[in-house]
Each structure stands twice: as structure tokens, then as C-alpha cells.
Amino acid sequence: MISRRTLLVAAAGLFATRALAVESPLLGPLVAAGKLPPQADRLPKQPLVADMLERKRTIGQYGGDMRTLVAKPKDLRYITVMGYTRLVGYDEDLNLKPDVLFDVVDDGDRSFTFVLREGHRWSDGAPFTTDDFRFYWEEVALNADLTPAGPPAFMVVDGEPPKVEILDATHIRYSWTRPNPRFLPSLAGPRPEWIYTPAHYMKQFHKKYGDMSKLTGMAKDLQMNSWAALYNQLDDPYAASNPDMPTLDPWWIRTKAPSQQFIFERNPYFHRVDPQGQQLPYIDRIVANVAATGLFAAKANAGEVDLLYRSLNTGDIPMLKGGEAWHNYRTLAWQIARGSAFALYPNLTCSDPVWRALNRDVRFRRALSLSIDRHVLNNTLYFRRGIEGNNTMMPESALHSDEDRKAWATFDPKLAGELLDEAGLGKREGSGTRLLPDGRVAELIVEVSGEASDIIDALEITSEFWADVGIKMVIKAEDSGALNKRAFAGQTVMVASQGLDNAYATAVMAPTELAPLKQDNMAWPKWGQYAETAGKAGEKVDMPEAQQLLDLYDRWMDASTLNEKTNAWRDLLRIHADQQFIIGTVQGALQPIVVTKTIQNIPKKAIFSWEPTANLGAYRVDEFYYEQKTAQADTAP
């Protein structure tokens, strides 16, 4: 059970101070003109009171436009991530707590009763109730036109969807016959798992409730072939592409693509308040300007942003530091909590039978790992600040093992050569490059996103190490969307990317990344497809070592104690280190974050990760504020 005692204690002191709360400059005129209710009438009866004082944050003030950059409209999703509004979410210490929800009653991971905040409203003022959950479940998740694959995987246990019971307007229960320990952690993820939707708005686009002739016409105008395609495009809050769709997030997209500038305005009905009763967020608007990713660092250096981390990497830090004195910003350097800043993913399900056999040979994978001089990578790319070794947990995680970090991850080109010989690559051509068992030259094509300049730099260095043991690397940089399609179709032999998203995990977090369950894991996309589609696509796992990962994942799912969960995690990590399914190099790289000096409440040091901290999300960007009343003068009109 996630206790609500702390929330109740905090809320008890709220009402004495709420009368002192002031309106933001953006909303004050609307309230004065009678176009918006006063703040006290817009909040839930028991809002979430931010524990700012306990975290040594200062009480802020309203106002300001926060400038940032995006490369394309699709990147607006990172503002959704940054807002980090979840049914339950992680705090800075990775404790799982209610957020949108007032309380969660957990009955041994088999049943979860959600308690909504009475009086909570969507950004357009409509009530947020369990009908929004019912509509999603009955009319979206169970609708074959809208969700052909059925309910999301985290809601299904051994093929069994949950029993969903609407108890009243503020209580809903999800239950299974078998434990589902990944249910709550999935809801807290960086990419939100929406199991609710604004029914009052979305019903008009649903076949069951809307005007079918109108829907057909709208779909035709947008060159879509069905009402379902229209519905799914409009019901995509992650993409922030529909300004008409109400939200529960701190900021609400107000600009429709195409545009060179996108504006997010504060949600007047947001459910969080500071300890003095002031409604969050403090900052009124986020202004996202479109620019090429190659210009992000230069624009940050020129003082054209107030907050930026996207498309900045460790190598940009010296240049960014150099511009601080001239443009009134700070360059923070947070440690990236990934399993490896740069990792290699041999595709165990690739279509080429010769490369598939080699990738599945543990001697080949170990040889590639042993031939990498991680010390050179660390010195050259990561200012000697990284931790050399495998793609595994960081030292700060209770699941870290130094033995796992070092296994098959030392620099030993002699042993690497012996293993390659044993794996059937003993013959070479005149240049010294090894020959594949079918006589082809061992040219290993490693595919990488063209936007990942730091990984491309690492590949160029690694190619020299592999050339020394007779493997010729061919680097293929391409659009990330095209790369994903190739991987999902089995056309990639190896992919270079970042390592584990979450190397700061706790035992209660689902070890989904470590088992072949998702197609976006480039080590086994076909196996992931099979798991995600319940066998309708992809390939069934046919490798004993990979099956062992699935068995351990099931053991974690069935575990009734924290100790059992911890042991399952440790076994998964041990097998990964031994088998080298993903070849790690160096972890602990630094993420530069450029922030104007007038923005307060952003931590100077913190862990940066996609999961579990949602990049900046877990650090509550809604609590950031400008020290002065106005932000830069050159923001949007």
C-alpha cells in the first residue's frame, strides 16, 4: 500500500494558507474578467502539496517564459516527459508515490485500488473521474479497431487482462489472479502509460458515440482510411500534437504543427501546490523553438535558451562552459545513469544466417568485448570520468556487482583472437581481415542513429580495436526511424546505441530491459516482437540462454518478497555479463544541462536518466522558477 498519511498531514496545513495564494500573471487577468474561476475553486479538495521544504527547495514566484529547442514537432514529447505527471511517480530518492492519484491500496500485487482526488479537473475545467478510466478500458483498450493487439502488455499477466471495477466516481480497482508487480512501476515510467483519457472530449471521435458521417469526412480530409486512425492520432497526449485535447500536465500545448515555435501554457487546473498553497507550476509558459540538432550547442552557448539538455553531450561541456560569463547561464553536469554510454547490440535475430550464427556464438561476442580498449575510450571521450566495464548497474545501485562490471570486459586482444579462431573465423584475406565461414570478408556493418554524434565518435575508435583482431567495422549512420524499421525487420547485424536505460534500478522495478520482451531492444527485436504481440509476429525465443532470461523474469514476477526479487535481478545481471548479449564500454558519462542563472530550484548535481527519473521529470520542473518576475524579453509574443 502506498500510504496517504503524509499527503493528509501536508494537506491539513494547506487550507490555512490558501487564502494568501496569488494568481500567476498569465491567469490573473482571466480570473479578474470572470473568464476563469479563482485558484481555490480550480484545485482538487486535497491537492498534492509539494515537499519542497523537505528537499531544501525555496518557495518560488510566478511568471516567465522558459525557452528551449526542439529539432522537430515529434520532439515535443520530451516536454511531456519533463512535466512528469503520472498516476504514481518516483521522487528524487526513487520512492514510488501517488501523484495524480490521492492513494493506491495494493493487495499483494494482485489488486490495486486507485483513489482519485475529489474535485480534480482537466485543463479545460471538466471533471476528472473514473469514467475517464472506464472509457479508456472499455472503448479503447478492448476495442479491436483502436487497439488490435489488445490491452498494453504491462496490464496482462499470462494472457489474462485485469478485472476492472468502477466502484464510484473516485474509486477504481484493477485485479488479477496472479501478481502483477510491474503494474505500478510501468505507470511511473518516462513515457506515460495512459490508462485513462478525457472521455468528455474523445467521445466525439469514437464510432460508438460520435457522428459516423462526420468522422468519415474528417478522416478523408486528413488522408486516413478509417475513424480508428483519426481517433488514435487525436488521442496521443505523449506527442503533444493536439492542442484541443485537455491534459492533466503542468503545461498545455497551444500551438498546432507545422510551426517554427511551439507554446505550452500553464494548466489552470493543475493539481499540485507549494507549501504556501500557491498552485504550481511557477513558470507560465514553455517556448520551444525549432532548430537543427547540430546547432543546439551553439545556440545554448549564445544564450538563446533558458533550459536545454537534448542533443548536448559530454564533449560539448568545455565549449558551453566558455560561454557562461557572456550569456548569463550555468552548465550543470549530471551523471548519466545508463548501463553504458556507448554499447553494441549484436542482433541475435538478424536475417543473415551466417551473421546470426556468429552473433549467437558467445565466443564471438566475448571476443568483440575483449578487443575493446575501454581505457582509451574513457580518456578520449569521457574526460577519464567514466567507469570502464560492462553494460550493467552503476555503483550507486544496490544491485551493482563489481564482478558483473568486469566480466569479459578487460582489454585482452590475444584472448580475443583465440576466441575468434575457435568461433570459425581463423582464415584471413591478404589484408589481415578475417573471413566468414561462407568465405565472405568479415565486414561487420554497425548501424547507428545519425543524430548520435558521440556514439559515432566512439565507433570510429572502436573500429580500430576490431581491425587489430581482424574484424572490419563498417559504420552506417542513418535516420533513427529508418534504423528502427530495419532492426524490426531483422535486417541489422549490429546496432550501436546507449546501454541500459535504467542502471540505477531497485529490485521493485521491473527488469524488462534484461529479458527478450520488447522489440526496441536491438539485441533481439524479433523475439521482442513475439512477446509484444503474444506470438502474432516475430520469432519465439529459441536460444537456451535467452530462455533463461525469460524464466528469471517470470521468477521476478512471481516473487512475494523483496529478497526474492533482488535475487532474480542479480541472476539476470550475472547472465548478461557472462553472455555479453549487449557489449558495454564505459558508463557514468556526463550530461550537460544549460540553464539560465535566474532559474532556481534545479539541482546542481543529480542522476540523469530516461528511466526512472524521466530525464529532468522526477526533479519536478513545475517547481523551477525565475528569480526575477520576468524572463528574457525575446520570447514569444
Side-chain angles (χ1 to χ4, degrees), residues 144 255 464 467 499 565 604 607 637:
T255 311
E464 298 178 15
K565 292 181 185 295
K604 291 181 181 179
I607 290 291

Side-chain angles (χ1 to χ4, degrees), residues 143-435:
N143 186 298
D145 291 332
L146 296 175
T147 318
F154 78 96
M155 297 186 76
V156 178
V157 181
D158 283 350
E160 176 195 1
K163 177 182 180 182
V164 181
E165 302 170 89
I166 307 296
L167 306 179
D168 57 39
T170 56
H171 293 76
I172 182 172
R173 180 181 297 128
Y174 297 86
S175 57
W176 295 262
T177 57
R178 195 182 149 192
N180 187 4
R182 64 177 177 169
F183 183 55
L184 292 186
S186 295
L187 296 175
R191 175 169 182 160
E193 295 284 4
W194 275 283
I195 59 172
Y196 57 90
T197 196
H200 69 284
Y201 170 74
M202 290 307 305
K203 280 181 177 179
Q204 64 184 308
F205 306 110
H206 196 288
K207 178 180 180 181
K208 182 176 177 180
Y209 301 90
D211 183 330
M212 199 54 202
S213 61
K214 182 179 179 181
L215 294 179
T216 301
M218 291 176 66
K220 185 177 180 180
D221 290 343
L222 293 173
Q223 297 182 329
M224 296 178 178
N225 58 12
S226 69
W227 72 273
L230 172 69
Y231 182 97
N232 283 332
Q233 176 169 300
L234 295 174
D235 188 11
D236 189 3
Y238 180 54
S241 59
N242 181 6
D244 296 327
M245 184 178 184
T247 184
L248 301 178
D249 289 357
W251 294 279
W252 191 10
I253 181 67
R254 308 315 303 137
T255 311
K256 189 173 182 62
S259 177
Q260 289 300 301
Q261 185 179 79
F262 293 88
I263 308 294
F264 288 74
E265 291 184 354
R266 65 181 307 118
N267 172 1
Y269 294 89
F270 193 54
H271 67 286
R272 301 178 195 156
V273 298
D274 72 12
Q276 290 187 355
Q278 295 184 110
Q279 186 182 37
L280 297 170
Y282 289 128
I283 292 174
D284 276 333
R285 303 198 303 177
I286 296 176
V287 180
N289 294 303
V290 177
T293 54
L295 298 176
F296 277 27
K299 285 181 172 290
N301 177 261
E304 295 182 24
V305 300
D306 296 318
L307 182 67
L308 184 69
Y309 63 88
R310 286 279 300 158
S311 296
L312 302 180
N313 57 55
T314 303
D316 294 321
I317 292 176
M319 183 265 286
L320 294 170
K321 284 285 187 183
E324 289 181 342
W326 299 98
H327 296 294
N328 198 40
Y329 67 80
R330 297 169 285 160
T331 306
L332 307 177
W334 290 7
Q335 191 176 42
I336 300 175
R338 281 190 175 272
S340 186
F342 155 57
L344 293 143
Y345 291 73
N347 185 356
L348 304 175
T349 62
C350 73
S351 300
D352 186 306
V354 176
W355 280 114
R356 177 188 285 222
L358 268 178
N359 282 344
R360 292 190 177 199
D361 190 325
V362 69
R363 296 169 298 185
F364 180 67
R365 301 193 300 271
R366 287 171 177 169
L368 295 181
S369 179
L370 289 166
S371 62
I372 298 172
D373 191 338
R374 292 165 173 82
H375 192 60
V376 171
L377 288 173
N378 195 6
N379 288 350
T380 306
L381 300 175
Y382 307 115
F383 305 111
R384 304 178 185 172
R385 297 283 299 273
I387 303 167
E388 298 159 20
N390 281 318
N391 177 46
T392 189
M393 294 294 110
M394 297 184 68
E396 292 82 358
S397 170
L399 298 169
H400 171 78
S401 160
D402 207 46
E403 184 178 347
D404 288 345
R405 180 177 66 83
K406 295 177 180 178
W408 302 104
T410 56
F411 181 49
D412 192 339
K414 182 177 182 297
L415 178 56
E418 293 171 357
L419 289 172
L420 290 172
D421 289 343
E422 294 174 11
L425 299 175
K427 295 181 181 179
R428 298 177 185 247
E429 64 165 3
S431 67
T433 302
R434 294 174 183 270
L435 298 176

Side-chain angles (χ1 to χ4, degrees), residues 37 107 249 516 586:
D107 182 14
D249 289 357
V586 181

